[in-house]
Amino acid sequence: MSINLRNIIKPYPSPIITGRGIDLDFPMLAGCLALLGLGLVMITSASSEVAAVQSGNTLYMMIRHLVYLVIGLGACIVTMMIPIATWQRLGWLMLIGAFGLLVMVIVPGIGREVNGSMRWIGFGAFNVQPSEIAKVFVVIYLAGYLVRRQKEVRESWMGFFKPFIVLLPMAGLLLMEPDFGATVVMMGAAAAMLFLGGVGLFRFTLMVVLAVAAVTVLVQAQPYRMARLITFTDPWSDQFGSGYQLTQALIAFGRGEWLGVGLGNSVQKQFYLPEAHTDFVFSVLAEELGVVGSLCTVALFVFVCVRGMYIGMWAEKAKQYFAAYVAYGLSFLWIGQFLINIGVNVGLLPTKGLTLPFLSYGGSSLVICCACLGLLLRIEWESRTHLGSEEMEFSESDFAEEPTHGR
């Protein structure tokens, strides 16, 4: 007996199954696919020497990255098929799940320690990084809160402080791993969502001041963080110690000059630059593709992030406020990771272990980025067609007319 997939998901139409075929935001999709393709190429190049020594196969890291990429694209398709209203209903369950994962990762025997940090849960040959999942779940929960308590958030101090009853314990769990970078990105995205949700300027300014004070205390509380902060201002003062990683990254940028040394010809990836295929893949890209290639990559990131913000704006104009806040939050997560990773690579920020969205090697980050892309594509489709609500009845006639994009 044959199974008609379209009949199974008929109550929940999606941008990939309609009466007029695939109906996606192709500029956003093209930008992200370009980054994914570039990431695959750079991972293949940057990891070849490490992979040859660790596994005897120069393509080992590339094959693993390709597996994660296939899983990520599958996650993107699945998220596109789920109505945004479903995510809104499940916000509390996702928040509980995020807390559960972050507690599990710091439990000895469950969490897996890598480079002195307990950030992963091992499943055989694969590691899952709960912080990547938790950041997205927090965005979904906070978007629901901003919709439910919109008036309270805008007019009262209690509505402003309530989200931090959830956010601060989660930040504490992240710091216990420790994962300072993920904490900054999550709290930054949450602050931006609160501001866009209508928090007054005075309360927002107070939040920023308190956040800066908290970061200052956290940096001074751990000697290694203070050492990183001091070293990054002058990495050459200890170029074979705490400044080694940054000096090697800067050498990669210097060698790249305008047009680069050529794809695959990086010298720094040959065990000079630690984490060349993960946190510092942009440095290898700059060495092999030069200033021109680096600026083109930055332009792609800017386009994708700005497009994500526009998707939020279109959803807000369509009065789909939950979807709008989710789009804003996901965009700010990407923007935060992009700015921190690039800032670390060029020496503008202290060294911090954060992957570059879509580009860096790392299964959890890649899969979650693809899932976020699926969410954004779903939000854009629902705001454009006004067919996203589960309360509406759908028929073939809803999808008969040609779409009018106008974007």
Side-chain angles (χ1 to χ4, degrees):
M1 184 178 74
S2 62
I3 298 175
N4 191 326
L5 178 62
R6 188 172 175 183
N7 287 336
I8 294 176
I9 65 170
K10 192 173 181 180
Y12 307 103
S14 73
I16 56 174
I17 301 181
T18 69
R20 59 192 175 219
I22 297 175
D23 185 16
L24 295 171
D25 180 12
F26 284 103
M28 182 67 166
L29 180 62
C32 291
L33 288 179
L35 288 172
L36 288 171
L38 179 61
L40 180 61
V41 171
M42 292 313 306
I43 293 303
T44 304
S45 175
S47 66
S48 59
E49 303 297 331
V50 174
V53 170
Q54 292 183 353
S55 67
N57 180 3
T58 57
L59 298 180
Y60 175 74
M61 298 292 187
M62 184 273 284
I63 294 171
R64 283 179 63 92
H65 188 78
L66 192 58
V67 171
Y68 285 126
L69 181 57
V70 172
I71 296 172
L73 292 176
C76 177
I77 293 172
V78 170
T79 52
M80 273 193 288
M81 298 173 68
I82 301 174
I84 298 302
T86 302
W87 297 102
Q88 186 172 3
R89 276 201 320 272
L90 298 176
W92 272 104
L93 289 176
M94 291 181 179
L95 184 67
I96 294 171
F99 271 109
L101 287 171
L102 292 179
V103 170
M104 286 174 61
V105 78
I106 59 176
V107 174
I110 298 178
R112 180 174 292 181
E113 184 174 346
V114 180
N115 295 331
S117 297
M118 296 277 286
R119 300 180 187 176
W120 293 268
I121 298 175
F123 293 95
F126 298 95
N127 292 328
V128 174
Q129 192 169 358
S131 60
E132 295 290 340
I133 302 171
K135 287 184 293 187
V136 177
F137 284 4
V138 164
V139 165
I140 293 172
Y141 158 76
L142 189 54
Y145 174 82
L146 290 172
V147 171
R148 292 192 307 272
R149 306 286 184 177
Q150 188 174 62
K151 185 177 180 181
E152 191 178 356
V153 168
R154 293 181 176 182
E155 298 178 0
S156 72
W157 283 93
M158 186 56 67
F160 169 66
F161 280 119
K162 278 182 181 178
F164 291 97
I165 298 174
V166 172
L167 292 172
L168 292 178
M170 187 164 288
L173 289 171
L174 287 171
L175 290 172
M176 289 175 68
E177 296 182 8
D179 196 343
F180 188 67
T183 307
V184 171
V185 170
M186 183 190 74
M187 297 301 286
M193 290 175 69
L194 285 169
F195 181 73
L196 293 175
V199 169
L201 186 60
F202 175 74
R203 280 174 286 166
F204 181 76
T205 304
L206 178 62
M207 177 175 58
V208 172
V209 171
L210 291 174
V212 171
V215 169
T216 303
V217 171
L218 289 171
V219 168
Q220 294 179 345
Q222 294 290 339
Y224 78 91
R225 290 184 189 138
M226 197 64 189
R228 284 181 177 179
L229 185 63
I230 295 172
T231 302
F232 100 96
T233 59
D234 185 16
W236 303 101
S237 62
D238 189 15
Q239 61 177 330
F240 297 110
S242 56
Y244 179 78
Q245 201 167 25
L246 179 53
T247 55
Q248 297 303 314
L250 294 176
I251 290 171
F253 277 93
R255 292 193 75 253
E257 298 184 349
W258 285 102
L259 298 177
V261 298
L263 190 62
N265 294 327
S266 169
V267 171
Q268 293 305 104
K269 70 180 181 182
Q270 299 178 14
F271 306 102
Y272 292 103
L273 177 60
E275 309 297 338
H277 60 294
T278 55
D279 302 342
F280 283 85
V281 68
F282 189 75
S283 297
V284 177
L285 184 149
E287 183 182 4
E288 296 188 349
L289 304 183
V291 172
V292 174
S294 300
L295 291 179
C296 288
T297 304
V298 170
L300 263 177
F301 271 111
V302 171
F303 171 77
V304 166
C305 293
V306 170
R307 189 75 179 182
M309 296 295 290
Y310 268 100
I311 288 174
M313 185 183 69
W314 294 330
E316 194 168 2
K317 286 183 177 179
K319 301 188 184 302
Q320 298 176 3
Y321 297 110
F322 172 78
Y325 292 136
V326 170
Y328 290 143
L330 296 180
S331 299
F332 278 116
L333 288 180
W334 288 354
I335 291 169
Q337 286 198 222
F338 163 68
L339 290 178
I340 291 175
N341 185 279
I342 299 295
V344 167
N345 274 255
V346 300
L348 292 176
L349 293 173
T351 302
K352 192 77 232 100
L354 270 180
T355 57
L356 189 59
F358 296 105
L359 252 73
S360 293
Y361 177 83
S364 298
S365 175
L366 186 65
V367 172
I368 293 300
C369 281
C370 291
C372 291
L373 170 61
L375 267 172
L376 288 170
L377 292 173
R378 176 83 195 194
I379 289 169
E380 190 277 337
W381 178 77
E382 288 194 7
S383 66
R384 174 162 45 83
T385 60
H386 300 280
L387 296 175
S389 174
E390 285 186 307
E391 286 75 22
M392 295 180 65
E393 294 290 335
F394 295 97
S395 65
E396 293 298 320
S397 61
D398 291 322
F399 307 99
E401 296 181 3
E402 289 297 318
T404 303
H405 286 269
R407 295 180 180 174

